């Protein structure tokens, strides 16, 4: 399977003829890497924009799907949005001191300790009551990579041994991941959903055509209510994109584990944020009321982690027939690592990407957290395609994606080689960095500089309707 717009669109079950509506501006030098990262990023954003345009055409009754334009420059800026973000002139810190590569007796291991609880579990696994980089490095240098991987995992932390692509291919989890499709999507046999989500001021505008008479943008997801149960980058990128397209996105987090503030700001555009403790009966009732009015639920926790709250796909669909349930995980829903925590940086290390981008002696990394961002846009595309299909047959959908499967797609694309398919031409231009692709605005959390969204189609929005606000302060209700 090559890394191309066509293969991604096929994985989403899209009509091949719609690819003719896409044009691409190729910019040499964008997202440089040994692996076809630029092609992956272009494909993920392209199918997301095409799925948005397709859904817009169906809702508005348009004769043609609006034209889509994918610009490598805009895509590259968006794939490193966390690096472009400034908050009152301050640049966020993206990785904590203990989130990095470390030498072991037989190679390398990478840890992730951005969250305080993950840092504590890493130190506990190493027998360190407190610790800085020097102490952690000394402890890891005395152990093998696999020993560290298993010990930290057993303590509830995150560490992954460096593997080559060949070593990963021999792993049982790799076999489970590659046995499945890039995008797993199933139609449910539950009662029918609403054919078109509720209208409203935004919904009426969306129904008016690609350029509504009032001069506003076409918002294909207007009136769609999305419960966002995701964290970190990939899931929030997906729901940030749905918010761009007009959806009412309400992010719900447990109050005891707040999101990292800067990370929340980067992915919080267009959304609202509330906190509910699902161990409390009162908060469960509130969540049930939200679910009763939802059209989409997006989850980004480990498979099975939410089941004890009655939030498995089966339970959600039983409680809210016709729902679209979108599940994101690090390692996939099947296999021995399905229940493990994971992040983009760790998946790069386990799957051999870090070796390809560097070497076994000196591991490297992709030029962006491309597994996170790419999977996020694919996830948003899968939700949009589910809404389009559900409008036709009235049924809900369950879609599943994982960072590890996206990594496999990237490695498969490298094995095939060659420039990815570009529909509709569009030309080749020099890469000029983020020039013209950043914006500034005031927000409740300060003056922001940020990357503009890369999802672009005729009549569509060019920016989010609202900036991000503080984490967890919004009311737990729909607009």
């Amino acid at each position: 399977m090559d890394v191309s717009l066509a293969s991604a669109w096929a994985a989403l079950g899209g009509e091949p003829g719609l690819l003719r509506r896409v044009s691409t501006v190729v910019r040499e030098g964008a997202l440089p890497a040994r692996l076809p990262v630029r092609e992956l990023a272009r494909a993920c954003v392209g199918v997301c924009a095409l799925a948005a345009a397709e859904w817009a055409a169906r809702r508005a009754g348009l004769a043609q799907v609006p034209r889509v334009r994918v610009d490598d420059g805009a895509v590259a800026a968006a794939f490193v949005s966390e690096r472009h973000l400034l908050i009152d002139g301050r640049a966020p810190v993206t990785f904590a001191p203990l989130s990095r590569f470390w030498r072991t007796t037989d190679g390398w291991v990478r840890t992730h300790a951005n969250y305080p609880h993950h840092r504590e579990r890493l130190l506990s696994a190493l027998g360190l009551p407190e610790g800085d980089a020097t102490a952690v490095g000394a402890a890891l240098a005395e152990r093998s990579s696999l020993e560290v991987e298993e010990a930290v995992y057993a303590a509830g932390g995150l560490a992954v041994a460096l593997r080559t692509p060949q070593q990963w291919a021999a792993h049982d989890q790799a076999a489970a991941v590659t046995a499945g499709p890039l995008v797993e999507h199933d139609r449910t046999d539950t009662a029918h959903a609403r054919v078109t989500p509720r209208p409203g001021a935004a919904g009426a505008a969306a129904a008016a055509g690609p350029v509504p008479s009032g001069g506003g943008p076409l918002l294909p997801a207007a009136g769609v209510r999305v419960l966002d149960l995701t964290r970190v980058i990939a899931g929030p990128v997906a729901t940030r994109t749905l918010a761009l397209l007009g959806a009412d996105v309400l992010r719900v987090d447990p109050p005891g584990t707040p999101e990292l503030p800067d990370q929340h700001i980067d992915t919080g555009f267009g959304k609202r944020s509330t906190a509910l403790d699902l161990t409390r009966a009162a908060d469960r009732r509130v969540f049930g009321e939200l679910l009763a009015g939802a059209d989409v639920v997006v989850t980004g926790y480990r498979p099975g982690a939410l089941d004890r709250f009655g939030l498995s796909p089966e339970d959600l669909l039983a409680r809210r027939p016709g729902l679209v349930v979108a599940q994101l995980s690090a390692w996939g829903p099947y296999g021995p690592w399905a229940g493990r925590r994971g992040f983009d940086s760790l998946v790069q290390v386990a799957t051999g990407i870090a070796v390809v981008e560097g070497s076994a002696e000196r591991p490297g990394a992709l030029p962006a957290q491309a597994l996170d961002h790419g999977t996020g846009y694919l996830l948003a595309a899968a939700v949009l395609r589910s809404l389009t299909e559900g409008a036709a047959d009235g049924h809900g959908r369950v879609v599943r994606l994982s960072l590890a499967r996206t990594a496999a797609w990237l490695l498969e694309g490298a094995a095939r080689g060659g420039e990815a398919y570009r529909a509709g031409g569009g030309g080749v231009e020099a890469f000029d960095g983020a020039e013209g692709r950043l914006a500034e605005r005031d927000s409740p959390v300060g003056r922001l500089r940020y990357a503009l969204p890369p999802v672009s189609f005729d009549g569509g929005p060019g920016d989010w309707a609202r900036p991000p606000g503080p984490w967890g302060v919004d009311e737990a209700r729909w607009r």
Side-chain angles (χ1 to χ4, degrees):
M1 182 178 180
D2 61 333
V3 180
S4 70
L5 187 74
S7 64
W9 189 241
L12 291 162
E15 168 57 46
L18 291 182
L19 291 169
R20 292 191 293 271
R21 306 300 293 170
V22 182
S23 63
T24 304
V25 178
V26 176
R27 298 191 184 271
E28 300 294 348
L31 297 173
R34 295 176 180 175
L35 291 168
V37 176
R38 179 182 56 170
E39 289 78 5
L40 177 141
R42 180 192 303 154
C44 293
V45 171
V47 295
C48 184
L50 185 56
E54 177 191 31
W55 177 224
R58 178 177 290 275
R59 290 198 70 186
L62 303 178
Q64 287 195 93
V65 169
R67 290 191 175 277
V68 169
R69 184 175 186 268
V70 185
D71 187 318
D72 281 350
V75 172
F79 264 58
V80 291
S81 61
E82 63 274 12
R83 300 181 203 168
H84 291 302
L85 180 68
L86 291 179
I87 307 163
D88 288 330
R90 175 185 62 83
V93 176
T94 54
F95 282 101
L98 299 188
S99 297
R100 48 169 278 193
F101 281 106
W102 307 87
R103 276 282 192 184
T104 61
T105 58
D106 60 349
W108 294 88
V109 69
R110 180 147 191 172
T111 56
H112 196 289
N114 285 4
Y115 289 96
H117 56 292
H118 290 157
R119 181 182 185 277
E120 292 170 6
R121 292 167 187 173
L122 170 64
L123 294 175
S124 173
L126 299 178
L128 299 172
E130 293 293 335
D132 57 12
T134 301
V136 171
L140 291 173
E142 297 175 350
R143 307 186 187 195
S144 72
S145 300
L146 292 179
E147 179 187 357
V148 172
E149 180 179 270
E150 291 304 316
V152 175
Y153 165 69
L158 294 116
V160 171
L162 180 70
R163 291 172 172 83
T164 66
Q166 295 74 26
Q167 288 171 328
W168 176 246
H171 197 284
D172 288 345
Q173 188 60 34
V177 166
T178 55
L182 177 63
V183 180
E184 182 179 337
H185 45 92
D186 299 308
R187 193 187 83 167
T188 64
D189 292 324
T190 58
H192 287 194
R194 290 179 291 271
V195 174
T196 302
R198 66 201 60 70
V211 182
S213 58
L218 176 63
L219 300 173
V224 175
R225 291 173 173 171
V226 180
L227 276 175
D228 178 3
L229 309 181
T230 69
R231 295 175 72 82
V232 196
I233 296 178
V237 163
T239 51
R240 181 181 69 182
T241 303
L242 296 174
L244 169 75
L245 300 170
D248 182 5
V249 179
L250 181 62
R251 175 165 166 166
V252 181
D253 284 286
T257 52
E259 182 62 281
L260 300 174
D262 293 346
Q263 196 162 259
H264 171 70
I265 291 170
D266 179 51
T267 58
F269 284 85
K271 300 190 276 189
R272 294 177 298 123
S273 169
T274 194
L276 292 175
D277 182 354
L278 296 185
T279 65
R280 298 178 65 248
D283 283 8
R284 287 198 300 275
R285 284 194 295 273
V286 172
F287 185 86
E289 293 169 0
L290 291 170
L291 178 61
D295 302 291
V296 179
V297 175
V298 185
T299 69
Y301 292 80
R302 291 171 295 130
L306 298 177
D307 291 5
R308 64 193 174 104
F309 300 116
L311 301 181
S312 69
E314 296 77 15
D315 289 336
L316 287 168
L317 287 159
R319 295 166 65 184
R320 176 66 178 86
L323 193 67
V324 174
V325 180
Q327 286 191 306
L328 170 74
S329 62
W331 305 106
Y334 316 109
W337 281 19
R340 294 199 177 194
R341 299 172 178 85
F343 295 97
D344 181 307
S345 58
L346 302 183
V347 175
Q348 289 188 42
V349 171
T351 58
I353 288 173
V355 171
V356 174
E357 290 297 327
S359 68
E361 291 71 35
R362 183 62 60 178
L366 298 176
Q369 295 189 67
L371 305 181
D372 260 335
H373 286 273
T375 307
Y377 289 107
L378 279 178
L379 186 65
V383 168
L384 293 163
R385 291 242 61 252
S386 295
L387 291 169
T388 299
E389 293 175 346
D393 63 24
H395 288 277
R397 297 290 192 281
V398 177
V399 299
R400 296 183 179 90
L401 293 88
S402 72
L403 304 186
R405 187 62 186 88
T406 302
W409 183 42
L410 179 62
L411 290 164
E412 290 166 6
R416 288 179 175 269
E419 172 69 7
Y421 169 83
R422 288 187 282 119
V428 178
E429 299 182 22
F431 179 57
D432 53 1
E435 184 178 349
R437 300 177 181 101
L438 304 180
E440 292 192 16
R441 70 197 300 180
D442 291 319
S443 80
V445 293
R447 180 74 178 173
L448 304 179
R449 187 196 74 177
Y450 59 98
L452 290 166
V455 173
S456 176
F457 58 93
D458 284 353
D463 200 350
W464 290 274
R466 55 182 288 158
W471 177 87
V473 301
D474 294 295
E475 290 186 64
R477 64 177 180 82
W478 297 116
R479 289 179 189 156

